[in-house]
Amino acid sequence: MGLREMKKQQTRQNISDQATRLFLRHGFDRVTIADVAAAAQVAKMTVTNYFPRKEDLALDLHEEFVGLLGRTVAGRAPGESALAALRRAFLDAVHRHDPVIGFSGPDFARMITESPALVSRLREFHEEREDALAAVLARETAAAPDDPLPRLVAAQLGAVHRVLFQETLRRTLDNEPPDQIAAVLAKSARTAFDLLAPSLNDYAVR
């Protein structure tokens, strides 16, 4: 990484860190872009150049979140189906208490759920992720452009991840310990993927 790119990355991270600190302290809806710019010691335009939408200051894992399922399927092992790859990856993320699947801590979970704007933006994330997964499934199975099957499969797999994400947030807000949440989540995930297995075990096998 060059010096210029490193400086840009550091500026972006500083803006994100300052925004998160302010959001957690005052609530997302009460903090302005100007507040974030002042805390990060940059111009308002610099903030919006890195984060065009205020919601993305709080939900700074947009690209990772949206692309996760599609990347997992695209990188599946030989002989592995899309379902098996996503099951394996999700259970591994549960073990790691990965923030991308909802392990964010009570303060962050509360910040999200108390802001209608963030709840709406998170819903968009889930929809974008499902669309991205459908595109990968269509490519990997050489589906015809008018074939709805990749979208139908992506909707089922996306629904599992969306419901489990919401369950993680709910239990986090109830102040359950992360290890306890992980144990319940792993059990629920196995049940959910098992329910899909009869239909999807042989779909998109590499």
Side-chain angles (χ1 to χ4, degrees), residues 46-68:
T46 301
V47 175
T48 55
N49 282 341
Y50 284 99
F51 300 92
R53 296 178 60 165
K54 179 185 169 186
E55 292 83 358
D56 293 340
L57 281 162
L59 302 171
D60 192 19
L61 295 174
H62 174 264
E63 291 185 12
E64 185 175 356
F65 187 98
V66 169
L68 178 62

Side-chain angles (χ1 to χ4, degrees), residues 31-193:
V31 175
T32 67
I33 294 295
D35 293 332
V36 174
Q41 298 184 324
V42 297
K44 284 176 60 177
M45 185 175 292
T46 301
V47 175
T48 55
N49 282 341
Y50 284 99
F51 300 92
R53 296 178 60 165
K54 179 185 169 186
E55 292 83 358
D56 293 340
L57 281 162
L59 302 171
D60 192 19
L61 295 174
H62 174 264
E63 291 185 12
E64 185 175 356
F65 187 98
V66 169
L68 178 62
L69 305 189
R71 287 194 302 270
T72 299
V73 170
R76 68 198 184 282
E80 191 173 40
S81 68
L83 176 69
L86 289 172
R87 176 189 178 113
R88 170 180 50 76
F90 186 84
L91 291 175
D92 180 60
V94 170
H95 179 73
R96 290 183 282 106
H97 297 182
D98 194 334
V100 178
I101 66 168
F103 285 91
S104 56
D107 291 340
F108 197 86
R110 193 172 300 109
M111 179 192 73
I112 293 174
T113 56
E114 290 180 352
S115 169
L118 289 179
V119 170
S120 177
R121 183 58 174 147
L122 186 57
R123 189 178 301 117
E124 291 177 3
F125 278 20
H126 285 292
E127 292 173 354
E128 291 173 23
R129 182 167 68 173
E130 186 179 305
D131 290 342
L133 175 59
V136 171
L137 290 172
R139 184 179 70 243
E140 294 290 315
T141 60
D146 60 349
D147 185 354
L149 186 56
R151 297 192 302 277
L152 290 169
V153 173
Q156 294 178 70
L157 294 169
V160 169
H161 288 79
R162 182 173 63 254
V163 170
L164 294 176
F165 185 94
Q166 292 167 344
E167 182 67 7
T168 305
L169 285 185
R170 185 185 70 79
R171 290 180 177 275
T172 299
L173 289 170
D174 287 341
N175 291 311
E176 293 186 19
D179 286 344
Q180 181 176 318
I181 296 174
V184 173
L185 205 61
K187 182 178 179 181
S188 297
R190 291 187 180 97
T191 298
F193 287 118

Side-chain angles (χ1 to χ4, degrees), residues 186-202:
K187 182 178 179 181
S188 297
R190 291 187 180 97
T191 298
F193 287 118
D194 285 348
L195 287 171
L196 295 179
S199 299
L200 299 182
N201 255 345
D202 297 325

Side-chain angles (χ1 to χ4, degrees), residues 21-32 54 111 114-115:
R21 180 180 61 83
L22 291 173
F23 294 151
L24 291 176
R25 178 178 297 177
H26 303 291
F28 175 80
D29 295 325
R30 288 192 290 272
V31 175
T32 67
K54 179 185 169 186
M111 179 192 73
E114 290 180 352
S115 169

